[in-house]
Amino acid sequence: SEIFVDRLRWLTAPVFTELFALSQCIPGPSSTQMAYAIGIIKKGPAGGLLTGLLCFQLPGAVLMSLVGLGVARWLADPAPWLRGVTTGLGAAGVALIAVSGVALAASCCKDRWTAAACTVTAVATFYVSAIWLMPVLIGAGGLLTLAAYWRRDLSVASEDKHVESYGLPRWAGTLVVAAWVAVLAGGLLAKRFVPAPAPLPLQWWNAWYTAGSLIFGGGQVVVPLLYGVVVQQDCTSPIAPGAPSPKTVCTDRPASWVSTSDFYTGLAVIQAAPGPMFNLAAYLGAIMARRAGIFPLIGILLGLVGLNAPGLLLLYGILPFWGRFRHWAPYRRALPGLNASAVGLVVSAAIRLALDVRSKAPWPDAASGIMMLAFAAAHVFKVTPPLVVGGGGVLGAIAWAAKMK
């Protein structure tokens, strides 16, 4: 907003806010969709590719691909000190997600209605980790503020009423949305009818594309979903003598696409790297391919294209119609609830990841302390993300050396 609205004046603040809300209402990477949408507004579909792909996505995607190619071998069997470093990096990465959740809550949850939508969504998605629940709760948040704000005048600012459609013609937008549906249906049919075990690249494509088609709320929300997709685990609940209740213990399967350690290392690196959180797919794709003995570029492209394509297809398909329905009063009254529910997804993701980092750390109490220190450094003292992540790695090494608990 500071760059494109205040400094460059490419679009007005109301349009920027509405595009942000729109990106929260459709599946996919919200920050990437914003970058594409700003380019489309200025120069059409090609402008979206310039600002979104070349300027926003590509630099970070290349960096994460290179990190994945190196880390896949380096962390195949990490030394104890290295495990300490990666645990510290992961703890700091989760803390930065928590900082994002707090900042979004402060800007989007300003009254009791939006706070209620955020809280209910966070609690429900933490308790029930079902993909279908996310869009249901976002829609419920929109209905809540639609009813609560029924008498409010939330009309479009007069200086912005010339905005009617962006990018493609409406007929082309319809075809793009149909293409998204066709690819999703084709992948699901292939999963159903291709004899098991299906080729790994096909399994990867279906996993990436399905995740990209069903995730709402942006990069912070996709992290726990991706963890469940690429890290396959076996969980048991042994009952220890004298323990009041069994404790669930999960271990990575030998054939897991990505190890837990590799995943959290990538999560920490992506927090300090340029570009969107969805570039984590390049890192994970590189690791998956190397572990499977497949040419790494195949894994990288399947990850990046599969995870990003659904949201971008929907953006290009829906933007031509946005100029019409953005004037509808019901849509504008539902926007605050839609945004607040999306923030609830971020809050739930941060809590879930924090508990997961603690449960898998070699020293749980120290890992929790690193998360709290990293949160304070970023949120209170405004330390930049690269320094926060680097400091987490240093503290992880100290925890290993001191044999902390």
Side-chain angles (χ1 to χ4, degrees), residues 65-93:
S65 300
L66 295 175
V67 172
L69 291 173
V71 170
R73 289 178 293 181
W74 193 33
L75 292 181
D77 185 19
W81 69 268
L82 185 55
R83 190 182 178 199
V85 171
T86 57
T87 299
L89 292 174

Side-chain angles (χ1 to χ4, degrees), residues 119-176:
T119 303
V120 171
T121 301
V123 172
T125 53
F126 179 82
Y127 190 76
V128 181
S129 56
I131 294 176
W132 60 266
L133 187 61
M134 296 179 184
V136 169
L137 290 169
I138 289 178
L143 291 175
L144 175 64
T145 54
L146 172 63
Y149 302 161
W150 187 253
R151 295 183 180 276
R152 292 191 185 183
D153 180 14
L154 299 175
S155 59
V156 178
S158 58
E159 67 269 18
D160 293 322
K161 289 188 176 181
H162 65 279
V163 180
E164 295 181 357
S165 66
Y166 295 121
L168 303 170
R170 290 195 180 108
W171 64 266
T174 303
L175 291 179
V176 170

Side-chain angles (χ1 to χ4, degrees), residues 209-234:
Y209 196 86
T210 302
S213 297
L214 298 178
I215 195 69
F216 289 80
Q220 288 81 4
V221 180
V222 82
V223 171
L225 176 63
L226 289 185
Y227 181 82
V229 168
V230 303
V231 180
Q232 292 83 35
Q233 295 183 317
D234 292 314

